[in-house]
Amino acid sequence: MTTSRQIEQTYKLARERYGELGVNTDMAMRQLRKVAISLHCWQGDDVGGFESADGLSGGGIMATGAYPGKARTADELRADFEKAVSLIPGRHRLNLHAMYAETKGKGDRNELEPRHFKGWVQWAQANRFGMDFNGTYFSHPKAADGFTLSSADKGIRKFWVEHGIACRKIGAYMGRQLGTPCVTNTWIPDGYKDIPIDRKGPRERLKESLDEILSDKINRNHLLDAVEGKLFGIGSESYVVGSHEFYLSYAVTNGMLLCLDTGHFHPTETVADKISAVMTFLDEILLHVSRGVRWDSDHVVILSDELAALAQELVRGDYLDRVHIGLDFFDASINRIAAWVIGTRCMIKALLMALLEPTKKLARIEAQGDHTSRLAMLEELKTLPFGAVWDYYCLKSSVPAGDAWLSEVKAYEGNVLSNRM
Ligand code: RNT
Ligand code: ZN
């Protein structure tokens, strides 16, 4: 195991090396410390929620795997979440879905109130986590035919509009209580498996529903509204009502946040390139950082080229204050706490790498038209001693450096998770 002394010594050398390029590693870490990642609660229980024992059903999203030990109650999920964040450097947020309400089984989703989230909020307060929120428009009998806010059935549409209104009140309550705006995101599964005739009607109804949900003006210091589009889902392969173009237009028109999920585009599209495009017109956006493998599979985020490029865009464009970074993956085939830790640490690593880039220097080279040096430099940067800075950042954040976090997860699995059979 690497000792603190070794980490500090290696860091000193790395600091010098980066210094030669005009990069201040201490400043990069100070900037990084300010970035909060919103960790999605749903990695902890395979997008199940605590309304019923059946868990995820419908909505065209799917968690695969049967790794033992998933959280079955809010208390278990909170304990698992605390374990995960104890192994991640920095101060972060919890992103909760409406189906994690603590209602003791009473009432439906259109009747949800802030009081059903008191347990979560008090816990977040005690742990100094910010919170973000999501309406849950899937895994429900009223979503069974694949349509919610765009449904042609007036009763169904009304039910989900009421849910949307309830969720904004809950989000505002979270933001007010915790003193940090709660990004409240809307994603709906609506769409058709096969080729529809009427693509227009559902979209017009969705616009109407959103207008109704958003009609109440709520203080932006408490609540930030976001909408998330998508390309396809299981069972909505041919047509998705809330497509990217639909929500991009809606967000621009209404001055709200657009959510870009990295799994929600054609596999050869890169979300990194979309940031500066949409940020030219929007004040703020939300990211759902995910990893699609051949399709929108929601694999655990890793330190891929795509992730690095995304972080570079956030740093190069000076967007860190305007972009809310949320994660969205769910793997039920590995230890769920490890999944959180791996994905979140990778997101933070990618940001650190981007912050350690001599961006001004590269931009100058580019402006001079020296594309040879630009490519050469970008490749040389890849083998700089990034790991030494990362380990030092973990050390200074009082979390395990290197793979030392894994033994803690294994111990927790042995002591806690294995008793959940
Ligand atoms: C689904 C969306 C959505 C969900 C979560 C659970 O394709 O990505 O964000 O993953 O709300
Ligand atoms: Zn998403």
Side-chain angles (χ1 to χ4, degrees), residues 93 129-131 171 174-183 221-223:
R93 305 172 66 86
F129 301 139
M131 279 184 80
M174 290 172 173
R176 207 182 319 115
Q177 294 297 308
L178 300 171
T180 165
C182 172
V183 179
N221 292 322
H222 302 153
L223 178 82

PDB file of all heavy atoms in Angstrom, residues 93 129-131 171 174-183 221-223:
ATOM      1  N   ARG A  93     -23.976  15.616  -3.942  1.00  0.00           N
ATOM      2  CA  ARG A  93     -25.427  15.764  -3.791  1.00  0.00           C
ATOM      3  C   ARG A  93     -26.110  14.411  -3.986  1.00  0.00           C
ATOM      4  O   ARG A  93     -25.547  13.502  -4.594  1.00  0.00           O
ATOM      5  CB  ARG A  93     -25.964  16.744  -4.847  1.00  0.00           C
ATOM      6  CG  ARG A  93     -25.290  18.096  -4.852  1.00  0.00           C
ATOM      7  CD  ARG A  93     -25.729  18.949  -6.041  1.00  0.00           C
ATOM      8  NE  ARG A  93     -27.117  19.328  -6.013  1.00  0.00           N
ATOM      9  CZ  ARG A  93     -27.584  20.392  -5.372  1.00  0.00           C
ATOM     10  NH1 ARG A  93     -26.763  21.200  -4.754  1.00  0.00           N
ATOM     11  NH2 ARG A  93     -28.876  20.670  -5.398  1.00  0.00           N
ATOM     12  N   PHE A 129     -25.547  17.175   2.433  1.00  0.00           N
ATOM     13  CA  PHE A 129     -25.693  16.866   1.002  1.00  0.00           C
ATOM     14  C   PHE A 129     -26.719  17.838   0.428  1.00  0.00           C
ATOM     15  O   PHE A 129     -27.755  18.064   1.055  1.00  0.00           O
ATOM     16  CB  PHE A 129     -26.278  15.466   0.761  1.00  0.00           C
ATOM     17  CG  PHE A 129     -25.487  14.323   1.335  1.00  0.00           C
ATOM     18  CD1 PHE A 129     -26.140  13.260   1.942  1.00  0.00           C
ATOM     19  CD2 PHE A 129     -24.108  14.287   1.237  1.00  0.00           C
ATOM     20  CE1 PHE A 129     -25.428  12.182   2.463  1.00  0.00           C
ATOM     21  CE2 PHE A 129     -23.389  13.214   1.761  1.00  0.00           C
ATOM     22  CZ  PHE A 129     -24.045  12.162   2.370  1.00  0.00           C
ATOM     23  N   GLY A 130     -26.472  18.373  -0.751  1.00  0.00           N
ATOM     24  CA  GLY A 130     -27.538  19.044  -1.482  1.00  0.00           C
ATOM     25  C   GLY A 130     -28.434  17.960  -2.058  1.00  0.00           C
ATOM     26  O   GLY A 130     -28.063  16.784  -2.064  1.00  0.00           O
ATOM     27  N   MET A 131     -29.626  18.327  -2.513  1.00  0.00           N
ATOM     28  CA  MET A 131     -30.490  17.310  -3.129  1.00  0.00           C
ATOM     29  C   MET A 131     -31.054  17.768  -4.468  1.00  0.00           C
ATOM     30  O   MET A 131     -31.341  18.949  -4.668  1.00  0.00           O
ATOM     31  CB  MET A 131     -31.668  16.983  -2.201  1.00  0.00           C
ATOM     32  CG  MET A 131     -31.311  15.998  -1.103  1.00  0.00           C
ATOM     33  SD  MET A 131     -32.762  15.576  -0.109  1.00  0.00           S
ATOM     34  CE  MET A 131     -33.564  14.373  -1.163  1.00  0.00           C
ATOM     35  N   GLY A 171     -39.521  19.571  -4.825  1.00  0.00           N
ATOM     36  CA  GLY A 171     -38.188  20.072  -5.175  1.00  0.00           C
ATOM     37  C   GLY A 171     -37.912  21.415  -4.511  1.00  0.00           C
ATOM     38  O   GLY A 171     -36.828  21.639  -3.956  1.00  0.00           O
ATOM     39  N   MET A 174     -37.137  20.952  -0.909  1.00  0.00           N
ATOM     40  CA  MET A 174     -35.764  20.455  -0.711  1.00  0.00           C
ATOM     41  C   MET A 174     -34.759  21.591  -0.846  1.00  0.00           C
ATOM     42  O   MET A 174     -33.840  21.736  -0.040  1.00  0.00           O
ATOM     43  CB  MET A 174     -35.437  19.357  -1.740  1.00  0.00           C
ATOM     44  CG  MET A 174     -36.191  18.070  -1.495  1.00  0.00           C
ATOM     45  SD  MET A 174     -35.956  16.893  -2.840  1.00  0.00           S
ATOM     46  CE  MET A 174     -36.793  15.456  -2.119  1.00  0.00           C
ATOM     47  N   GLY A 175     -34.934  22.396  -1.896  1.00  0.00           N
ATOM     48  CA  GLY A 175     -34.017  23.500  -2.129  1.00  0.00           C
ATOM     49  C   GLY A 175     -34.045  24.516  -0.995  1.00  0.00           C
ATOM     50  O   GLY A 175     -33.003  25.014  -0.568  1.00  0.00           O
ATOM     51  N   ARG A 176     -35.243  24.822  -0.509  1.00  0.00           N
ATOM     52  CA  ARG A 176     -35.404  25.791   0.566  1.00  0.00           C
ATOM     53  C   ARG A 176     -34.763  25.273   1.845  1.00  0.00           C
ATOM     54  O   ARG A 176     -33.990  25.969   2.500  1.00  0.00           O
ATOM     55  CB  ARG A 176     -36.907  26.043   0.794  1.00  0.00           C
ATOM     56  CG  ARG A 176     -37.225  27.410   1.377  1.00  0.00           C
ATOM     57  CD  ARG A 176     -38.732  27.585   1.633  1.00  0.00           C
ATOM     58  NE  ARG A 176     -39.590  27.053   0.592  1.00  0.00           N
ATOM     59  CZ  ARG A 176     -40.436  26.024   0.748  1.00  0.00           C
ATOM     60  NH1 ARG A 176     -40.542  25.398   1.907  1.00  0.00           N
ATOM     61  NH2 ARG A 176     -41.200  25.626  -0.257  1.00  0.00           N
ATOM     62  N   GLN A 177     -35.056  24.033   2.174  1.00  0.00           N
ATOM     63  CA  GLN A 177     -34.530  23.450   3.410  1.00  0.00           C
ATOM     64  C   GLN A 177     -33.009  23.335   3.392  1.00  0.00           C
ATOM     65  O   GLN A 177     -32.353  23.536   4.399  1.00  0.00           O
ATOM     66  CB  GLN A 177     -35.120  22.042   3.640  1.00  0.00           C
ATOM     67  CG  GLN A 177     -36.601  22.019   3.910  1.00  0.00           C
ATOM     68  CD  GLN A 177     -36.966  22.748   5.190  1.00  0.00           C
ATOM     69  OE1 GLN A 177     -36.407  22.482   6.250  1.00  0.00           O
ATOM     70  NE2 GLN A 177     -37.881  23.690   5.104  1.00  0.00           N
ATOM     71  N   LEU A 178     -32.471  22.996   2.226  1.00  0.00           N
ATOM     72  CA  LEU A 178     -31.041  22.697   2.168  1.00  0.00           C
ATOM     73  C   LEU A 178     -30.206  23.895   1.730  1.00  0.00           C
ATOM     74  O   LEU A 178     -28.975  23.831   1.713  1.00  0.00           O
ATOM     75  CB  LEU A 178     -30.794  21.495   1.240  1.00  0.00           C
ATOM     76  CG  LEU A 178     -31.493  20.205   1.691  1.00  0.00           C
ATOM     77  CD1 LEU A 178     -31.387  19.125   0.627  1.00  0.00           C
ATOM     78  CD2 LEU A 178     -30.908  19.697   3.012  1.00  0.00           C
ATOM     79  N   GLY A 179     -30.875  24.987   1.341  1.00  0.00           N
ATOM     80  CA  GLY A 179     -30.148  26.200   0.993  1.00  0.00           C
ATOM     81  C   GLY A 179     -29.357  26.098  -0.294  1.00  0.00           C
ATOM     82  O   GLY A 179     -28.381  26.817  -0.506  1.00  0.00           O
ATOM     83  N   THR A 180     -29.787  25.224  -1.190  1.00  0.00           N
ATOM     84  CA  THR A 180     -29.142  25.085  -2.498  1.00  0.00           C
ATOM     85  C   THR A 180     -30.208  24.624  -3.485  1.00  0.00           C
ATOM     86  O   THR A 180     -30.972  23.708  -3.160  1.00  0.00           O
ATOM     87  CB  THR A 180     -27.946  24.102  -2.434  1.00  0.00           C
ATOM     88  OG1 THR A 180     -27.576  23.725  -3.762  1.00  0.00           O
ATOM     89  CG2 THR A 180     -28.247  22.853  -1.638  1.00  0.00           C
ATOM     90  N   PRO A 181     -30.306  25.279  -4.648  1.00  0.00           N
ATOM     91  CA  PRO A 181     -31.417  24.942  -5.545  1.00  0.00           C
ATOM     92  C   PRO A 181     -31.459  23.457  -5.903  1.00  0.00           C
ATOM     93  O   PRO A 181     -30.431  22.835  -6.149  1.00  0.00           O
ATOM     94  CB  PRO A 181     -31.164  25.802  -6.789  1.00  0.00           C
ATOM     95  CG  PRO A 181     -29.838  26.448  -6.612  1.00  0.00           C
ATOM     96  CD  PRO A 181     -29.460  26.350  -5.179  1.00  0.00           C
ATOM     97  N   CYS A 182     -32.669  22.926  -5.908  1.00  0.00           N
ATOM     98  CA  CYS A 182     -32.885  21.519  -6.228  1.00  0.00           C
ATOM     99  C   CYS A 182     -33.244  21.420  -7.714  1.00  0.00           C
ATOM    100  O   CYS A 182     -34.268  21.944  -8.139  1.00  0.00           O
ATOM    101  CB  CYS A 182     -34.031  20.993  -5.367  1.00  0.00           C
ATOM    102  SG  CYS A 182     -34.571  19.337  -5.782  1.00  0.00           S
ATOM    103  N   VAL A 183     -32.413  20.781  -8.492  1.00  0.00           N
ATOM    104  CA  VAL A 183     -32.728  20.579  -9.910  1.00  0.00           C
ATOM    105  C   VAL A 183     -33.775  19.478  -9.984  1.00  0.00           C
ATOM    106  O   VAL A 183     -33.546  18.355  -9.530  1.00  0.00           O
ATOM    107  CB  VAL A 183     -31.486  20.181 -10.727  1.00  0.00           C
ATOM    108  CG1 VAL A 183     -31.860  19.961 -12.184  1.00  0.00           C
ATOM    109  CG2 VAL A 183     -30.399  21.242 -10.608  1.00  0.00           C
ATOM    110  N   ASN A 221     -33.878  30.157  -6.566  1.00  0.00           N
ATOM    111  CA  ASN A 221     -32.903  29.801  -5.527  1.00  0.00           C
ATOM    112  C   ASN A 221     -33.285  28.485  -4.857  1.00  0.00           C
ATOM    113  O   ASN A 221     -32.496  27.876  -4.160  1.00  0.00           O
ATOM    114  CB  ASN A 221     -32.822  30.888  -4.453  1.00  0.00           C
ATOM    115  CG  ASN A 221     -32.225  32.159  -5.016  1.00  0.00           C
ATOM    116  OD1 ASN A 221     -31.303  32.099  -5.823  1.00  0.00           O
ATOM    117  ND2 ASN A 221     -32.768  33.294  -4.619  1.00  0.00           N
ATOM    118  N   HIS A 222     -34.541  28.078  -5.072  1.00  0.00           N
ATOM    119  CA  HIS A 222     -35.007  26.829  -4.470  1.00  0.00           C
ATOM    120  C   HIS A 222     -35.148  25.721  -5.502  1.00  0.00           C
ATOM    121  O   HIS A 222     -34.828  24.572  -5.226  1.00  0.00           O
ATOM    122  CB  HIS A 222     -36.364  27.040  -3.783  1.00  0.00           C
ATOM    123  CG  HIS A 222     -36.332  28.100  -2.722  1.00  0.00           C
ATOM    124  ND1 HIS A 222     -37.431  28.828  -2.358  1.00  0.00           N
ATOM    125  CD2 HIS A 222     -35.318  28.557  -1.954  1.00  0.00           C
ATOM    126  CE1 HIS A 222     -37.107  29.683  -1.411  1.00  0.00           C
ATOM    127  NE2 HIS A 222     -35.833  29.551  -1.159  1.00  0.00           N
ATOM    128  N   LEU A 223     -35.649  26.100  -6.673  1.00  0.00           N
ATOM    129  CA  LEU A 223     -35.990  25.071  -7.664  1.00  0.00           C
ATOM    130  C   LEU A 223     -35.498  25.451  -9.054  1.00  0.00           C
ATOM    131  O   LEU A 223     -35.698  26.575  -9.507  1.00  0.00           O
ATOM    132  CB  LEU A 223     -37.516  24.914  -7.714  1.00  0.00           C
ATOM    133  CG  LEU A 223     -38.040  23.906  -8.727  1.00  0.00           C
ATOM    134  CD1 LEU A 223     -37.977  22.494  -8.167  1.00  0.00           C
ATOM    135  CD2 LEU A 223     -39.479  24.216  -9.126  1.00  0.00           C
TER     136      LEU A 223
END
